[in-house]
Amino acid sequence: MVRTEQDIKLEKKVSQTILASQQTPAVGEAGHTGEWRTKRPILHTEKCLVVKTGKLTCNLCWLYCPENTVSRSIPPKFNYDYCKGCGICATECPAHAIEMISEKEAPSCEGNEGGN
Ligand code: SF4
Ligand code: SF4
């Protein structure tokens, strides 16, 4: 996939943000959320920068998740056992690759899904 100049500038910016951060949250500080969460994030992989580049160049979803329930991987994956559905990952994603959907719309599978 072709990277645009805008993609490259964005990657540089997010890399600098990651380097500047020293966030180290513990997994699941909100407890087991699967039973009370009302929304969940899903990933549109075709928009995700790490999927497009094949490199761990962005991962702002991983960085900003207060529950540390997003993996730093290609593609990023959500741990639905502990995700509380706050939507911060979707807000911070510079590529608008994360969508928050209602649990009622969500597929029946539970846990460790990367979305569609
Ligand atoms: S989902 Fe968004 S924030 Fe997360 S790695 Fe992909 S582009 Fe970056
Ligand atoms: S919605 Fe996103 S930021 Fe919030 S807990 Fe779930 S994965 Fe983390």
Side-chain angles (χ1 to χ4, degrees):
M1 200 169 293
V2 178
R3 292 159 68 206
T4 65
E5 196 171 313
Q6 188 180 6
D7 285 341
I8 293 166
K9 278 185 186 169
L10 202 52
E11 288 163 17
K12 191 174 177 186
K13 183 178 175 189
V14 295
S15 295
Q16 288 167 343
T17 304
I18 288 172
L19 285 173
S21 170
Q22 296 186 354
Q23 176 183 312
T24 53
V27 174
E29 288 187 346
H32 199 279
T33 58
E35 292 172 5
W36 55 261
R37 183 184 56 239
T38 58
K39 288 191 171 183
R40 70 167 61 182
I42 60 166
L43 180 69
H44 294 286
T45 52
E46 74 281 3
K47 295 181 183 175
C48 174
L49 295 174
V50 301
V51 175
K52 285 170 81 172
T53 61
K55 295 178 183 173
L56 297 174
T57 51
C58 176
N59 297 100
L60 289 182
C61 47
W62 161 79
L63 180 68
Y64 281 104
C65 174
E67 301 303 323
N68 197 20
T69 56
V70 185
S71 66
R72 193 175 188 210
S73 58
I74 305 171
K77 292 194 173 186
F78 307 105
N79 183 335
Y80 293 137
D81 287 340
Y82 295 106
C83 164
K84 62 185 177 185
C86 65
I88 290 173
C89 55
T91 300
E92 296 298 335
C93 174
H96 307 290
I98 299 174
E99 180 183 0
M100 298 302 293
I101 63 168
S102 111
E103 282 297 323
K104 289 177 187 164
E105 300 171 48
S108 55
C109 53
E110 189 65 48
N112 301 309
E113 296 296 318
N116 58 357

